[in-house]
Amino acid sequence: DIQMTQSPASLSASLGETVSIECLASEDIYSNLAWYQQKPGKSPQLLIYYASSLQDGVPSRFSGSESGTQYSLEINSLQPEDEGDYFCQQSYKFPLTFGSGTKLEIK
Amino acid sequence: EIQLQESGPGLVKPSQSLSLTCSVTGYTITSGYDWSWIRKFPGNKMEWMGYISNSGSTNYNPSLKIRISITRDTSKNQFFLQLNSVTTEDTATYYCAREDNNYVMDAWGQGASVTVSS
């Protein structure tokens, strides 16, 4: 199975700041990487697919990038509603696998 | 707008079977996409369990292959998860989701918390 190593496990940042979350794939996944946001008590929401494509309706302050097998989610100009859990998922090979998640707290 | 809703028992005894239903509104499950089950364990690890396609074929996580079955009732626009011989390690929140052509989940249910305990 492809292992997705996600960091950091938790993150605390202030309103207006920029944060970055990383996922490292154990092998090449050829940009087949999605990012999700899950707010407390809610279902996960797709933010980004194919490493950098923004899902319809997602604010442009969310962006994704890649460098080799390392994938990043950047959130610019943090807003209160950005608080929650974020996780990555590789969609290159079955079984689909997820990162361990990052808890983002807005100070 | 598509909506998915999980339902089923919140408590299952060890060695018994876990059965959940996902009811879909706003989209017909035979029209396209794959229909998946994913679970999130205490501590937040997530596991993709498998899917049933719009044509009825299935694809399971090999780690669950001997215990899992995903079926559907197209007349009710529902699909189902059955997980046999459960242990306390199957305690999790179970989500149903729509999986697109790129194997990305673009719509999720609210989740159903299932505890395995005697």
Side-chain angles (χ1 to χ4, degrees), chain A residues 10-99:
Chain A
S10 63
L11 190 51
S12 182
S14 300
L15 286 175
E17 284 190 8
T18 295
V19 298
S20 184
I21 299 168
E22 316 287 332
C23 266
L24 179 66
S26 61
E27 61 184 82
D28 200 336
I29 57 172
Y30 302 96
S31 304
N32 290 281
L33 192 283
W35 290 99
Y36 301 88
Q37 175 195 59
Q38 186 172 22
K39 297 181 184 180
K42 301 290 188 182
S43 59
Q45 300 291 316
L46 176 64
L47 297 174
I48 286 171
Y49 60 95
Y50 207 60
S52 58
S53 296
L54 205 61
Q55 177 70 350
D56 289 346
V58 174
S60 59
R61 63 177 182 275
F62 292 90
S63 63
S65 62
E66 63 180 286
S67 176
T69 58
Q70 176 119 329
Y71 294 81
S72 300
L73 171 70
E74 187 172 274
I75 312 172
N76 295 311
S77 302
L78 276 174
Q79 301 297 307
E81 60 267 29
D82 297 335
E83 187 162 278
D85 293 333
Y86 293 81
F87 52 95
C88 62
Q89 175 231 322
Q90 66 82 16
S91 56
Y92 177 64
K93 192 183 286 187
F94 288 105
L96 308 179
T97 50
F98 294 86

Side-chain angles (χ1 to χ4, degrees), chain B residues 37-78:
Chain B
W37 288 97
I38 300 106
R39 61 183 178 175
K40 189 173 189 179
F41 297 101
N44 285 344
K45 178 187 170 185
M46 295 193 73
E47 180 179 57
W48 173 83
M49 302 180 73
Y51 70 68
I52 186 164
S53 74
N54 60 84
S55 63
S57 63
T58 54
N59 184 8
Y60 299 136
N61 191 320
S63 69
L64 299 168
K65 207 160 191 176
I66 61 170
R67 297 199 292 138
I68 190 173
S69 176
I70 299 176
T71 57
R72 65 182 184 171
D73 183 337
T74 57
S75 68
K76 295 182 178 178
N77 213 39
Q78 295 175 327

Side-chain angles (χ1 to χ4, degrees), chain B:
Chain B
E1 179 193 0
I2 184 173
Q3 293 192 8
L4 301 95
Q5 179 66 60
E6 306 87 350
S7 59
L11 181 64
V12 181
K13 292 187 185 329
S15 80
Q16 293 188 345
S17 293
L18 178 162
S19 296
L20 293 172
T21 297
C22 183
S23 301
V24 181
T25 56
Y27 193 88
T28 302
I29 63 173
T30 55
S31 294
Y33 294 91
D34 300 324
W35 303 90
S36 300
W37 288 97
I38 300 106
R39 61 183 178 175
K40 189 173 189 179
F41 297 101
N44 285 344
K45 178 187 170 185
M46 295 193 73
E47 180 179 57
W48 173 83
M49 302 180 73
Y51 70 68
I52 186 164
S53 74
N54 60 84
S55 63
S57 63
T58 54
N59 184 8
Y60 299 136
N61 191 320
S63 69
L64 299 168
K65 207 160 191 176
I66 61 170
R67 297 199 292 138
I68 190 173
S69 176
I70 299 176
T71 57
R72 65 182 184 171
D73 183 337
T74 57
S75 68
K76 295 182 178 178
N77 213 39
Q78 295 175 327
F79 62 105
F80 311 102
L81 170 69
Q82 181 170 317
L83 187 65
N84 299 323
S85 306
V86 298
T87 72
T88 55
E89 295 189 355
D90 293 308
T91 293
T93 298
Y94 288 76
Y95 295 93
C96 60
R98 186 176 74 174
E99 192 173 307
D100 71 12
N101 292 337
N102 296 311
Y103 307 114
V104 167
M105 272 59 78
D106 69 350
W108 297 65
Q110 290 291 318
S113 179
V114 178
T115 300
V116 179
S117 175
S118 55

